[in-house]
Amino acid sequence: MKCKLPLFFGFMAAILSLPVIAAENVHLSIDASRPGARIDRNLFGQFAENLGHGLYEGIWVGPDSPIPNTRGIRNDVVSALRELKVPNVRWPGGCFADQYHWRKGIGPRDKRPATLNSAWGGVVDTNAFGTDEFMDFLEQIGSHAYVSANVGSGTPQEASEWLEYMTAAQPTALAKERAANGHPDPYPVALLGIGNESWSCGGDMTPDYYVSQLKIYSRFVNNDNPAQHGPDKMLKIAVGPGFPETEWTEAVMKAWQHHDWSWDFDGVSLHWYTTPNGFANKTSSLNFGEGDYAKTLKSTLFMEDFLRKQETVMNKYDPQKKVALVIDEWGAWHAPLPGTNPDFLLQQNSLRDAVLASLNLNIFVRHADRVRGANIAQMINVLQAMILTDKDKMVLTPTYYIFKMYVPFQDAMFLPVMFDADTYTHGGVSLPRVDAIAAKGADGRLLLEITNLDAENPVTIDADMLGITAKSAKAETLTGAAVDSINTFASPNTVVPKSAAVKIQDGKLSLTLEPRSVTVVSIEP
Ligand code: AHR
C-alpha cells in the first residue's frame, strides 16, 4: 500500500471497525529515514488585533500604570510570551486593519487623536498603542512583525508611506520622523498582509476587484530596507477565502500565474474558525460536557478538508509550491462570556481548546509543504487566547501550554508517522481516537506528538522508529480532570503540563496516554 497518511488509516478505521471496539493499544511507526518538509516556525504565529482588551490592558497599560511595565508594555505578559518563541505577530487586524490610519498612532502620545474603533464596539481608541509601541513589544518578546495594510479605507500611498516609515534605511523625511520618535534604525517587517477578508469586512469586494487592488498594493507597497531584499525579504500575503468555495482562490492564483516583474506575492491567507453550531448559535466556553467536546473536535477537523480543497486549486496554478498558504486566523470562536461586552469577544479557554489547538497544529504540520504560516486568533483576552488578564492579574490558558509544548517543532523536519487511529465515539459523533505527528528537531532529537481525543479512556502506545536507534526519551503531557477544565486567576495551575513516564526498550518506545490529553515525547538518538 502506497498511501502512508495517518488520516487514511483513521478513515479506514472509521469504515472498517463498526461496531467500534475500544482499542487499548495503538501502534505507531515513525520513519526517521524519510524527512519531509521543514515545519516553518511561522506555523506558530499569533494574532493581536485592536479589539476589546487584546492590546489595551492585555499588552499596553501605559508607562504610568502601577502594573509593572517596560515603556508601557506589561512585564508579566512579555515574560510569558518569550517562552513561546512567538515567530510573528499579526497586527493591527483583522477587520480593524481596514479602518486603521497609521499616522494617528505615531508621535507624542498626548498629541495623538482619539478615534472610534468602529470595527469592534465603537469604543474610543486613544491610539496610544501605535506602530512604535507594537515594534517595541515585538523587540521585548523576541518576535517579528506581520503588518496588515489597510486596503479597504486606505490608499496605496498611505500604505506605501507606512512601509517607508517602518523600513527606510536612507535618511528620508519619514525615516527621520521615525528616528525623532525614538528609532533611528529601520524596523524589520517579516510579513505584509494586503488587506483582510476583503470579501467581507475589508470592503465586500468581488474577487476580480480585489485582484486589481492586490496588483496595485503589491507594486507600490514595499519594504525599503536593502537588508530585507535578500533571503530575509518581506513576504507579501494576499487575501484568501474564509469559506470552503474556491472561486476566490482561483481568481487570486490565476492572476499570480500570469504576474509579471511589476508585482508578486508570496502567500495566500485563509481564515477558518471552529464554530460547531455556526456563528448564530455559539458554544459556551464554560461548563460543557463530553457531547459539546466531541462535536467541537469533529467540527475543527474540517480544517483538513478545507486545506485540501484550497491546495488543489493552488497546485493547479503553482505546482512548485512557491506560494505559501497562511492560515492567519484560526481557532475556536465561542460565545462571549456572560456580562462582558459582546463586541470584545472574551471567552474562557479550556482543555477542549488545548486538544483543538493540537489537532489544528498537527493538520498544518502534515501540510507543511504548502502551509508555511498560521496565526491563532487571538493572543490575549480575545477568542482562543494564550493569556487572560484582569487589571494586574494574568493567567496562562491551556492553549498557551500547547504552544509551549510545540516549541521544539518550530523549523523541525517533518517525519512520516503511521498508525491506526481507531475510533472514539460519543453521542453519535465519531472521531479518530488518536492523532500524531513526528519530526526531527533542530537539535537532532526525534519529536513525537500524540493526542488522545478519547475523553474517558487512556490509550497505550507502542512505537517503532525506522532509521534511528533511540537511547532515551522524555515526555510531557497536558490533561485535566474534565473536558471543560480551565485555569483561573484563583486557580492558575489546574491545566498545566506535567512529565509523563515513557519507556525505551529494544529500540521501541512505549507510554500510556491519559484520556483527553496532548503529549510531546522528545527522543534522544
Ligand atoms: O478575529 C476576529 C475577526 O474575525 C477578525 O477581525 C476578522 O478578520 C475575522 O472575521
Side-chain angles (χ1 to χ4, degrees):
M1 185 180 291
K2 275 229 157 124
C3 178
K4 296 206 162 178
L5 286 174
L7 277 172
F8 171 76
F9 287 94
F11 175 70
M12 289 303 284
I15 291 179
L16 298 176
S17 62
L18 295 172
V20 177
I21 299 158
E24 288 179 348
N25 186 74
V26 169
H27 175 74
L28 288 107
S29 184
I30 306 161
D31 192 348
S33 67
R34 290 193 307 123
R38 190 171 63 89
I39 301 166
D40 198 310
R41 66 174 67 186
N42 282 323
L43 291 188
F44 304 92
Q46 301 278 335
F47 174 31
E49 181 165 12
N50 186 2
L51 192 177
H53 294 305
L55 304 182
Y56 294 102
E57 297 191 22
I59 296 173
W60 180 258
V61 287
D64 301 329
S65 169
I67 299 171
N69 69 83
T70 303
R71 297 180 293 279
I73 293 164
R74 49 192 300 168
N75 294 344
D76 52 356
V77 162
V78 166
S79 74
L81 290 173
R82 286 188 71 83
E83 297 282 307
L84 298 189
K85 301 199 185 314
V86 178
N88 73 77
V89 181
R90 182 170 178 253
W91 171 87
C95 294
F96 178 79
D98 281 299
Q99 69 158 63
Y100 185 57
H101 301 285
W102 67 275
R103 272 212 156 275
K104 298 187 174 163
I106 59 160
R109 278 188 291 275
D110 58 355
K111 303 264 177 338
R112 296 185 195 175
T115 52
L116 283 184
N117 184 338
S118 54
W120 298 109
V123 293
V124 171
D125 182 356
T126 61
N127 283 292
F129 191 83
T131 303
D132 296 293
E133 289 76 14
F134 173 59
M135 294 296 183
D136 188 10
F137 168 62
L138 294 180
E139 277 175 25
Q140 290 190 36
I141 68 167
S143 190
H144 294 97
Y146 180 177
V147 169
S148 273
N150 178 345
V151 172
S153 68
T155 62
Q157 183 179 357
E158 182 189 13
S160 161
E161 287 173 359
W162 192 17
L163 266 289
E164 186 182 327
Y165 177 81
M166 290 187 279
T167 65
Q170 300 88 337
T172 69
L174 282 165
K176 285 181 186 165
E177 198 175 347
R178 183 190 65 229
N181 289 336
H183 207 277
D185 291 338
Y187 292 116
V189 176
L191 297 131
L192 174 77
I194 303 182
N196 171 75
E197 297 192 355
S198 305
W199 31 266
S200 170
C201 68
D204 203 6
M205 301 172 191
T206 62
D208 287 348
Y209 184 82
Y210 174 71
V211 166
S212 327
Q213 296 295 304
L214 171 64
K215 290 177 180 175
I216 296 167
Y217 275 75
S218 165
R219 169 79 183 100
F220 297 111
V221 184
N222 291 302
N223 190 309
D224 296 310
N225 185 358
Q228 281 207 265
H229 292 170
D232 279 341
K233 82 164 189 161
M234 179 183 79
L235 304 179
K236 295 180 179 174
I237 311 299
V239 167
F243 34 79
E245 291 75 25
T246 54
E247 185 197 2
W248 188 280
T249 313
E250 280 277 349
V252 168
M253 288 305 298
K254 195 171 175 183
W256 178 84
Q257 193 186 36
H258 298 292
H259 81 90
D260 63 12
W261 65 269
S262 67
W263 73 280
D264 195 2
F265 60 80
D266 307 280
V268 176
S269 87
L270 188 151
H271 291 179
W272 189 255
Y273 286 96
T274 301
T275 54
N277 304 326
F279 279 97
N281 186 19
K282 295 197 197 84
T283 36
S284 168
S285 58
L286 279 170
N287 305 324
F288 54 86
E290 192 175 344
D292 271 342
Y293 165 83
K295 208 172 157 191
T296 306
L297 297 189
K298 181 87 186 173
S299 166
T300 217
L301 290 175
F302 177 71
M303 180 66 88
E304 175 81 36
D305 297 342
F306 193 14
L307 293 188
R308 278 186 198 286
K309 242 181 151 175
Q310 304 304 324
E311 284 170 345
T312 303
V313 176
M314 295 181 79
N315 292 344
K316 190 163 83 179
Y317 296 105
D318 172 29
Q320 291 176 303
K321 302 193 172 148
K322 290 184 177 162
V323 179
L325 196 49
V326 178
I327 301 111
D328 53 17
E329 289 188 29
W330 68 274
W333 192 319
H334 301 303
L337 283 178
T340 62
N341 183 334
D343 287 324
F344 285 8
L345 311 186
L346 174 62
Q347 60 192 44
Q348 248 301 352
N349 194 294
S350 64
L351 179 62
R352 174 183 61 182
D353 296 300
V355 174
L356 180 155
S358 88
L359 295 176
N360 280 278
L361 291 172
N362 290 2
I363 292 171
F364 304 155
V365 165
R366 281 194 282 270
H367 289 255
D369 56 345
R370 177 68 83 178
V371 177
R372 300 197 283 273
N375 299 73
I376 189 166
Q378 298 193 5
M379 191 156 60
I380 303 163
N381 293 332
V382 177
L383 298 177
Q384 189 174 345
M386 308 299 110
I387 294 176
L388 300 175
T389 65
D390 182 15
K391 304 193 176 63
D392 61 335
K393 296 192 285 282
M394 176 188 87
V395 66
L396 307 177
T397 67
T399 302
Y400 170 92
Y401 289 112
I402 295 299
F403 273 74
K404 190 165 178 206
M405 289 165 71
Y406 274 69
V407 164
F409 284 95
Q410 293 193 14
D411 289 333
M413 300 306 287
F414 175 87
L415 295 176
V417 51
M418 288 149 283
F419 57 99
D420 177 346
D422 199 53
T423 308
Y424 151 60
T425 303
H426 181 86
V429 175
S430 286
L431 293 158
R433 187 185 298 279
V434 297
D435 189 37
I437 53 164
K440 188 175 178 193
D443 60 0
R445 283 167 188 266
L446 190 72
L447 303 166
L448 172 66
E449 187 286 328
I450 327 162
T451 305
N452 178 9
L453 286 78
D454 192 321
E456 296 298 331
N457 300 297
V459 175
T460 61
I461 297 287
D462 68 280
D464 52 49
M465 292 157 274
L466 276 168
I468 69 151
T469 310
K471 275 207 230 113
S472 61
K474 55 182 187 181
E476 206 179 23
T477 197
L478 186 82
T479 187
V483 289
D484 62 348
S485 295
I486 56 172
N487 294 332
T488 63
F489 298 117
S491 296
N493 296 322
T494 307
V495 186
V496 291
K498 57 183 185 188
S499 62
V502 51
K503 208 164 90 184
I504 300 270
Q505 198 169 20
D506 303 329
K508 287 193 189 306
L509 175 146
S510 56
L511 79 161
T512 300
L513 306 177
E514 294 190 47
R516 51 184 186 280
S517 65
V518 176
T519 303
V520 173
V521 189
S522 168
I523 303 151
E524 178 115 21

